[in-house]
């Protein structure tokens, strides 16, 4: 994320949690990393966990409904395409074409073979 956006970040400093009556040591901040730390909200791990649970309850995330389900995917075509792929660019095209999620990328340090194996696992 860019530093001029609100986010959760760590600075390595220990402060008391900003939550009323908590008093635990905290290192996580909510705010903008480019702003002074005194305007950020400081949270301990316990309060951060409670905040995350509260956000999930108040703002449930609906699973994105993909236009193509696994039953719609042409398995023979996908298997052939994966077998024929020799480069990261070819694997990227397969991932994009079939809308696959959870396939490691080249920037994650995955080899072409690891990525191909991950594609085949996601459609099993």
């Amino acid at each position: 994320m860019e530093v001029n956006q609100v986010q959760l970040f760590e600075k390595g400093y220990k402060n008391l949690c900003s939550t009323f009556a908590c008093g635990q040591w905290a290192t996580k901040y909510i705010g903008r990393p480019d702003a002074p730390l005194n305007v950020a909200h400081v949270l301990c791990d316990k309060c951060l966990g409670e905040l995350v649970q509260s956000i999930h309850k108040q703002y449930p995330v609906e699973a994105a409904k993909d236009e193509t389900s696994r039953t719609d995917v042409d398995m023979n075509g996908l298997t052939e395409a994966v077998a024929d792929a020799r480069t990261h660019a070819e694997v990227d095209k397969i991932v994009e074409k079939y809308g696959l999620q959870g396939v490691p990328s080249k920037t994650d340090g995955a080899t072409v073979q690891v990525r191909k194996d991950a594609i085949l696992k996601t459609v099993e």
Side-chain angles (χ1 to χ4, degrees), residues 5-91:
Q5 295 176 336
V6 174
Q7 58 191 280
L8 178 67
F9 62 96
E10 290 189 49
K11 281 288 191 183
Y13 305 116
K14 281 191 174 185
N15 284 310
L16 290 177
C17 182
S18 298
T19 304
F20 177 73
C22 177
Q24 297 291 319
W25 287 107
T27 59
K28 297 179 179 64
Y29 295 80
I30 295 178
R32 288 179 40 174
D34 63 338
L37 290 180
N38 67 332
V39 297
H41 193 80
V42 187
L43 291 175
C44 67
D45 290 336
K46 177 183 171 276
C47 291
L48 178 61
E50 291 172 358
L51 175 64
V52 169
Q53 287 177 349
S54 172
I55 290 171
H56 283 298
K57 285 179 185 174
Q58 292 180 22
Y59 303 99
V61 178
E62 291 183 24
K65 294 182 180 176
D66 196 358
E67 293 176 13
T68 59
S69 66
R70 287 189 182 172
T71 57
D72 297 338
V73 172
D74 175 15
M75 292 302 293
N76 290 334
L78 176 61
T79 306
E80 260 182 46
V82 170
D84 292 342
R86 301 281 180 252
T87 66
H88 285 287
E90 291 171 343
V91 174

